[in-house]
Amino acid sequence: MTESQAPAPGAPPVSPYAGQALSPDKWVNVSRLVTAYYCNVPDPDVAAQRVAFGTSGHRGSSFLTTFNEAHVLAISQAICRYRQRHGISGPTFVGIDTHALSEPAFATVMKVFAGNGIDVMISEGGEYTPTPAVSHAIVTYNRRRSAGFADGIVITPSHNPPDNGGIKYNPPHGGPADSAVTTWIETQANELLRSGLRSMPRMSVEEAMRAATTHPYDFLNTYVDDLHNVIDMDLLRDSGIHLGVDPLGGAGVHYWPAIAERYRLNLTVTRTTVDPTFGFMTADWDGRIRMDPSSAFAMRGLIAQKNAFDIAFACDTDHDRHGIVTPEAGLLPPNHYFAVVVEYLFEHRPEWRSDAAIGKTVVGSQLIDRLASKLGRRVYEVPVGFKWFAAGLLDGSLAVAGEESAGTGFARRDGSVWTTDKDGLIPALLAGEMMARTGRDPGALYQTLSHALGSPVEARREASATAAQQAVLAALTADKVRSKRLAGEPINAILTQAPGNDAPIGGLKVVTDHGWFAARPSGTEPIYKIYGESFQGDHHLQQLLGEAQSIVDAALGDAESLPRIVSAPENAPDAGAS
């Protein structure tokens, strides 16, 4: 499911606008949004208006005074302090997506970084930059270095609605910063807000762009020219498979034509529109515009064209997530496709390390565990957030890693690191490689896989939650589960820490032989979520979720005082780790 406000109590789980084009009066007013970015000043005494790094950076809306110039000034200066504190003396690679607030936030970042005398690498000609292109640049620059390491910033709220802005920090390993880093930056930034942002070195935007420390970098061609080292582009070209891609108006809009030209692919870009209102999108399940390639509602336009291509795909606004569409299966659920990716890669990447593991989150499918057992591979299971995979992808101990929310990364064909952040482009292209080599699309490959190992059904529920309720849920302990059975099966494990790295999962997971549930607060919204999966069908899944709900209600106290929980619609996977 995507990041969103939970439906109001009693409201239907799916908006009547879901999957429909919205009228212009429902689009974001970009002029007012940008005006609010500069004019609304956050009050650090109001919790909701402070800097808050969720699972992937600070996000918010200028209308709500949660993403404004003061926030970005404070975060930028805090990052400068972090760099100085940790001796990071190389350049900072900065990328931006196509959200309306990304351009003004970029200008703010440049003022601060130039004022601090930091070398900044920005895209040539103002080109938008996908998250994976920034990670690729950091990893490439730092390879074989022992000092002078680079880091990066990506200005994006991922697939969030058009009125959102976001900024995240990638340290020298190239992936999302871990909690210790983001907590330090967050604390420093909020202290700067409280001080009124006094005594901050900064330049005007014009001075910053002309500064000797500001350098152009060809993110696009550097990334595109290297793709053959992670995907078999020769095989894909020679197959003649007709590929279709919808960039969803995101940062990769010019990357796809460059990829098609560079590798002579039979690839059609179905839409090249870049519009900060994103009014060309169909509304997501809750009636809001959201550029989520794993949502059937947001992907309605590409799904309608599925028969025009052998395989079609889309990526979200910063191109770190993917959605795969085939003529027979339509839009593949992320967990289904990730299982196919894992099986295919380990069968067709002979140079990968024999001990390289599979990374998954605690809310990823149990099918991955069954597949890993078949492949003789170890599973590295971590809390929600791609940041937990960065170190393993960098050192090669992880060959492939994925989230239930359609975020995936994997190694180069020779087993070395590609990127350490999610990359939506390479799993999209891999779908074509799969078909070129096997003669079957990923939907058909999943059917074979699930027939052999089991066919899970999954669902997610959510409801509004106060900060206090979220804190209670995050601190759930095993003694809150008093029963020894779940949905008729003996309980095998009650987890509050992830098996892979022993890190707190910020909630609770209960596992049986044929199913599991996990309950956790959102890292980016005032809601909580219950995930469930069963290998025994829908009836068993609903029984499992019902018992999970009772556990959560008891933990949070008076269940009648809570907003009524609603089922998240199918094909709307989680976005908490974007």
Side-chain angles (χ1 to χ4, degrees), residues 428-471:
L429 290 166
L430 187 70
E433 182 191 319
M434 286 181 191
M435 190 169 186
R437 178 163 278 118
T438 69
R440 307 174 69 205
D441 70 44
L445 293 172
Y446 177 77
Q447 291 302 317
T448 300
L449 175 62
S450 62
H451 180 75
L453 299 180
S455 183
V457 290
E458 60 189 46
R460 208 192 84 192
R461 297 178 174 182
E462 68 176 34
S464 299
T466 65
Q469 290 170 333
Q470 286 188 315

Side-chain angles (χ1 to χ4, degrees), residues 328-352:
E328 293 299 320
L331 179 65
L332 293 179
N335 277 329
H336 293 192
Y337 183 56
F338 182 59
V340 172
V341 166
V342 170
E343 181 177 53
Y344 175 84
L345 286 173
F346 280 113
E347 288 180 351
H348 297 96
R349 296 295 188 267
E351 294 186 53
W352 279 10

Side-chain angles (χ1 to χ4, degrees), residues 272-293:
T272 58
T273 307
V274 174
D275 177 358
T277 70
F278 293 92
F280 54 84
M281 291 290 298
T282 52
D284 203 0
W285 70 276
D286 56 354
R288 300 190 73 189
I289 291 175
R290 189 177 288 108
M291 291 62 68
D292 183 356

Side-chain angles (χ1 to χ4, degrees), residues 416-433:
S416 62
V417 59
W418 170 248
T419 65
T420 51
D421 211 330
K422 299 187 291 287
D423 189 332
L425 292 91
I426 58 171
L429 290 166
L430 187 70
E433 182 191 319

Side-chain angles (χ1 to χ4, degrees), residues 264-276:
R264 304 194 303 279
L265 302 183
N266 184 13
L267 184 150
T268 300
V269 182
T270 65
R271 177 168 47 198
T272 58
T273 307
V274 174
D275 177 358

Side-chain angles (χ1 to χ4, degrees), residues 242-409:
H242 191 192
L243 307 172
V245 59
D246 186 349
L248 301 182
V253 66
H254 297 142
Y255 280 60
W256 292 108
I259 291 169
E261 180 180 0
R262 169 68 175 78
Y263 295 103
R264 304 194 303 279
L265 302 183
N266 184 13
L267 184 150
T268 300
V269 182
T270 65
R271 177 168 47 198
T272 58
T273 307
V274 174
D275 177 358
T277 70
F278 293 92
F280 54 84
M281 291 290 298
T282 52
D284 203 0
W285 70 276
D286 56 354
R288 300 190 73 189
I289 291 175
R290 189 177 288 108
M291 291 62 68
D292 183 356
S294 60
S295 165
F297 299 107
M299 287 277 281
R300 184 68 56 88
L302 188 60
I303 294 170
Q305 302 177 68
K306 65 179 184 178
N307 293 322
F309 307 103
D310 295 311
I311 296 176
F313 36 81
C315 292
D316 69 338
T317 324
D318 68 321
H319 269 50
D320 70 349
R321 300 187 188 211
H322 60 276
I324 309 298
V325 176
T326 73
E328 293 299 320
L331 179 65
L332 293 179
N335 277 329
H336 293 192
Y337 183 56
F338 182 59
V340 172
V341 166
V342 170
E343 181 177 53
Y344 175 84
L345 286 173
F346 280 113
E347 288 180 351
H348 297 96
R349 296 295 188 267
E351 294 186 53
W352 279 10
R353 281 171 43 176
S354 60
D355 63 341
I358 303 164
K360 60 166 280 197
T361 69
V362 292
V363 293
S365 177
Q366 204 173 55
L367 184 61
I368 298 300
D369 300 84
R370 297 185 178 194
L371 177 57
S373 179
K374 172 192 169 187
L375 296 170
R377 294 282 176 167
R378 180 173 60 90
V379 172
Y380 181 67
E381 185 172 339
V382 298
V384 171
F386 207 81
K387 61 190 176 186
W388 303 108
F389 301 132
L393 288 170
L394 184 64
D395 67 20
S397 60
L398 288 178
V400 56
E403 298 178 312
E404 76 295 336
S405 53
T408 299

Side-chain angles (χ1 to χ4, degrees), residues 220-221 384:
L220 189 154
N221 285 306
V384 171

